[in-house]
Amino acid sequence: MGSVRAHRYSIVSSEEDGMKLATIGKPNGYGNGNAGGKVHTRHQTQSRFVNKNGHCNVQFINMSEKGQRYLADIFTTCVDIRWRWMLVIFCLSFLLSWLLFGFVFWLVALSYGDLDNEEQICVSNVDSFTAAFLFSVETQTTIGYGYRYITEDCPIAVFMVVFQSIVGCIIDAFIIGAVMAKMAKPKKRNETLVFSHYATIAMRDTKLCLMWRVGNLRKSHLVEAHVRAQLLKSRTTAEGEYIPLDQMDIDVGFDTGIDRIFLVSPITIIHEIDEESPFYDMSKQELESSEFEIVVILEGMVEATAMTTQCRSSYIASEILWGHRFEPVLSEEKNYYTVDYSKFENTYEVPSTPQCSARELAEKKYILSASNSFCYENEIALMDKEDMDDEEEHEEVKNDLFAEKVVLEGTNTDTASESASSQETVLLEPRPLRRESEI
């Protein structure tokens, strides 16, 4: 109450005086850029297994029988290919079928002499290949202009009409099904699921933790949302075998159920660096010289289609900020909460974070002192509390002044009333009669 705050982040403990918030420069558009903070500009030279947008940076080479295997699962191939190729397949499937059956009807008309005779035996009014092609289109699309038609004197033409109708229904079902499945793919839902560009390492509940943030830009929920993470790092086994990218699970609360999240507002995912963590022996100095990749995965069902979607991203060693925390984005209004996505990527520095590894921290029994620690959330809460106290104090002083005024007015009124009453008493009091003898 007695301290004067010139800046909302200026008053901290004596050992951390002058600390500045660190703002991250974001490539995906969230945050306030370089405004009022330090920008982390580490150069990324390490190759990624998973890009920041979730695409796997892997190319397959020397695959035997690739075409045959893809054609064996033609439906999945049509769903996975790009839209331009899907439109090409859509158009070619109908054009080729029309041309094929038009050629068949032209052969039937040629074999029965309908092209030269005025009276056609099989297909009426078909005397050229163009007419046969138009008859094929009318048959498969069920247009039925009525000018060209099959006669009952040609069984082969009747059979071909029935067969073309069946083939047309199969093509329609396959193409429409593939287009609908491609349109309903939940892959585009990942465009509205975002990960923070940087991860952080800081103390939380007296333990060293690895943290990153995930958010949902849509109001529609992600049903049964859960997160998981894996560490990709090259290593050599005890037998001397070299493994280029060894995959190791990173615990984010699978046993306790913390990995299942309610993703309405941005949530910070926490990995506690304990004895089971692969980062237990890693200090800040070792982190800066290490080469590894953390792949983070968010899975859930799209509420609109009930289809499972998966959003991915990754962090390399240069994208992990030691001694930083994420700036809060959720604030409470009068009767609702607001989420400020301009602060989604923002972090602030915590110099009190130990530079040693979690193992050394546990051995030294390092205890983070509350008097020397700086917490952005506590500072905000403290300022709000002081503002409320100031308002309450102002209201109390105002009420006291009003009460004193009322008391003084009441006192003056009572005094005046008593004076008036005493005067009336004096005036109304009868004077005693004096006897004549006394006079």
Side-chain angles (χ1 to χ4, degrees), residues 248-312:
M248 182 181 301
D249 287 335
I250 297 177
D251 185 22
V252 290
F254 177 79
D255 297 333
T256 58
I258 304 177
D259 63 325
R260 294 182 287 274
I261 58 178
F262 184 50
L263 193 59
V264 177
S265 62
I267 295 179
T268 302
I269 309 301
I270 302 173
H271 164 64
E272 182 181 326
I273 303 178
D274 53 9
E275 295 84 355
E276 303 297 331
S277 173
F279 308 105
Y280 190 60
D281 296 321
M282 185 175 295
S283 62
K284 180 181 179 181
Q285 184 177 3
E286 294 175 352
L287 174 66
E288 295 175 352
S289 60
S290 299
E291 289 190 3
F292 60 84
E293 183 176 354
I294 300 175
V295 179
V296 292
I297 301 172
L298 171 64
E299 293 178 335
M301 290 189 299
V302 181
E303 189 178 29
T305 61
M307 299 182 68
T308 303
T309 184
Q310 184 182 89
C311 183
R312 298 178 296 268

Side-chain angles (χ1 to χ4, degrees), residues 200-267:
T200 63
I201 292 181
M203 297 295 295
R204 175 168 287 195
D205 296 329
T206 69
K207 295 181 180 179
L208 208 59
C209 297
L210 171 67
M211 296 172 283
W212 63 90
R213 180 174 278 175
V214 61
N216 180 16
L217 302 182
R218 286 188 180 273
K219 290 186 177 181
S220 60
H221 299 171
L222 200 64
V223 183
E224 294 293 335
H226 59 278
V227 293
R228 56 191 179 96
Q230 284 190 334
L231 175 65
L232 305 181
K233 186 177 181 180
S234 303
R235 72 180 185 92
T236 304
T237 63
E239 295 77 14
E241 180 186 1
Y242 177 74
I243 302 177
L245 287 177
D246 187 25
Q247 300 185 10
M248 182 181 301
D249 287 335
I250 297 177
D251 185 22
V252 290
F254 177 79
D255 297 333
T256 58
I258 304 177
D259 63 325
R260 294 182 287 274
I261 58 178
F262 184 50
L263 193 59
V264 177
S265 62
I267 295 179

Side-chain angles (χ1 to χ4, degrees), residues 99-109 129 160:
L99 289 172
L100 175 63
F101 285 100
F103 181 72
V104 171
F105 286 119
W106 180 78
L107 290 179
V108 171
F129 179 79
M160 291 308 302

